[in-house]
């Protein structure tokens, strides 16, 4: 089966919050993304509520009929909200107030006890839990050990590579990391910096079950509409996974 596509709709809320108004509505975006063939909707409820608001999280839960993936920090207030909301999936990410978007992966080894306690709470609420981490063997094994059902590998090294040598190195690092994850018995997803131009070789790597893509799809949606932008990314993933 080709990897699934989760569409991150945070940027739609970012535009709304630029004017603190009620448009564009990320709930509408979620519906359009679903109509374009998204297999999942991803949103990040940040501690500073800079884009997605609590109201959005609640309405997404009521509206979305595909996989609903909530990205979140290991913060007790947010963990409690997630356990109450019960999205189908939670992805634990590092979060810094000064960053533009999530940078790099969560250090599961360093924050092991806090991470483990959040994983236990979310698992007990019946939520699938994923760790957004760098493609490092030890981080993947630690994620499996603390009870994550899945890891989402940071694809930034691939996205930011500037020459063939860097691209090949990024691909082989990801390929090795996928192997470690699958051998540990967890699902392996990918995300960060994936675009219409760079998705091909990543989609062709065997083992990824899903990609979470935000910026590139929302950027394209400005010109072709979200439904069409999602459809095009979906087609690319399917085509390259088959090659
Ligand atoms: N996956 C995770 C865990 C993220 O934090 C983000 C960014 O919000 C993405 C995927 C999507 O990244 P991009 O916007 O670069 O496609």
């Amino acid at each position: 089966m080709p990897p699934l596509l989760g569409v991150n709709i945070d940027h739609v809320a970012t535009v709304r919050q630029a004017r603190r108004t009620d448009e564009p509505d990320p709930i509408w975006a979620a519906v359009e993304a679903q109509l374009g063939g998204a297999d999942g909707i991803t949103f990040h409820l940040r501690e500073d509520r800079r884009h997605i608001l609590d109201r959005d999280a609640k309405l997404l839960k009521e509206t979305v009929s595909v996989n609903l993936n909530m990205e979140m920090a290991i913060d007790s207030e947010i963990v409690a909200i997630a356990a109450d909301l019960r999205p189908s999936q939670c992805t634990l990410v590092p979060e810094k107030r000064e960053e533009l978007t999530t940078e790099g992966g969560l250090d599961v080894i360093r924050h092991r006890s806090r991470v483990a306690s959040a994983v236990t709470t979310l698992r007990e609420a019946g939520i699938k839990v994923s760790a957004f981490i760098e493609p490092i063997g030890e981080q993947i094994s630690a994620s499996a050990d603390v009870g994550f059902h899945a890891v989402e590998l940071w694809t930034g090294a691939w996205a930011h590579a500037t020459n063939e040598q860097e691209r090949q190195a990024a691909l082989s690092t990801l390929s090795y990391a996928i192997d470690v994850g699958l051998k540990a018995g967890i699902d392996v997803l990918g995300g960060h910096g994936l675009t219409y131009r760079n998705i091909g070789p990543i989609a062709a790597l065997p083992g990824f079950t899903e990609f979470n893509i935000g910026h590139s799809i929302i950027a394209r949606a400005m010109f072709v509409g979200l439904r069409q932008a999602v459809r095009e990314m979906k087609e690319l993933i399917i085509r390259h996974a088959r090659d």
Side-chain angles (χ1 to χ4, degrees):
M1 198 166 102
L4 303 175
L5 172 61
V7 177
N8 183 313
I9 54 162
D10 294 347
H11 280 357
V12 176
T14 299
V15 175
R16 177 191 63 191
Q17 293 311 103
R19 286 293 178 92
R20 305 260 189 282
T21 175
D22 59 2
E23 63 179 5
D25 194 324
I27 317 307
W28 188 337
V31 173
E32 285 293 322
Q34 272 188 230
L35 291 171
D39 302 292
I41 301 296
T42 294
F43 68 98
H44 186 169
L45 186 69
R46 297 184 71 105
E47 291 171 70
D48 62 10
R49 308 298 198 271
R50 71 166 73 151
H51 40 52
I52 293 290
L53 306 176
D54 297 69
R55 163 265 186 209
D56 301 328
K58 286 198 194 82
L59 289 176
L60 285 169
K61 165 74 183 182
E62 285 176 24
T63 311
V64 169
S65 57
V66 290
N67 190 56
L68 182 63
N69 174 29
M70 173 173 166
E71 289 182 17
M72 51 184 278
I74 1 164
D75 166 83
S76 52
E77 185 218 341
I78 303 283
V79 171
I81 291 173
D84 188 44
L85 186 73
R86 292 174 197 248
S88 21
Q89 183 177 335
C90 284
T91 302
L92 301 190
V93 302
E95 189 176 302
K96 295 193 216 94
R97 283 184 184 250
E98 63 279 13
E99 70 193 357
L100 289 177
T101 183
T102 311
E103 289 164 1
L106 182 67
D107 190 338
V108 175
I109 298 171
R110 182 157 166 220
H111 304 294
R112 192 178 176 113
S113 66
R114 279 176 61 217
V115 170
S117 125
V119 170
T120 304
T121 307
L122 297 169
R123 281 187 74 117
E124 280 170 2
I127 301 165
K128 175 176 178 177
V129 196
S130 175
F132 182 53
I133 56 171
E134 291 189 29
I136 299 169
E138 292 78 7
Q139 293 287 351
I140 298 162
S141 307
S143 301
D145 283 352
V146 299
F148 281 101
H149 300 95
V151 287
E152 179 177 331
L153 301 177
W154 176 76
T155 49
W158 163 257
H160 303 144
T162 54
N163 58 52
E164 201 42 36
Q165 197 182 349
E166 286 176 10
R167 271 188 282 278
Q168 286 311 320
L171 281 182
S172 61
T173 302
L174 285 167
S175 184
Y176 167 75
I178 292 169
D179 208 40
V180 175
L182 296 180
K183 285 194 176 122
I186 54 178
D187 287 343
V188 183
L189 293 71
H192 184 87
L194 297 175
T195 69
Y196 295 86
R197 277 168 294 180
N198 70 22
I199 188 69
I202 292 284
L205 281 179
F208 275 126
T209 54
E210 184 176 329
F211 300 117
N212 278 307
I213 307 180
H215 184 88
S216 191
I217 291 177
I218 302 299
R220 183 154 182 80
M222 292 178 72
F223 304 108
V224 303
L226 187 52
R227 210 181 290 194
Q228 175 66 14
V230 171
R231 197 175 290 136
E232 289 176 20
M233 184 60 86
K234 220 15 228 176
E235 280 168 10
L236 275 178
I237 292 170
I238 291 169
R239 179 166 8 117
H240 286 281
R242 207 175 36 215
D243 286 348

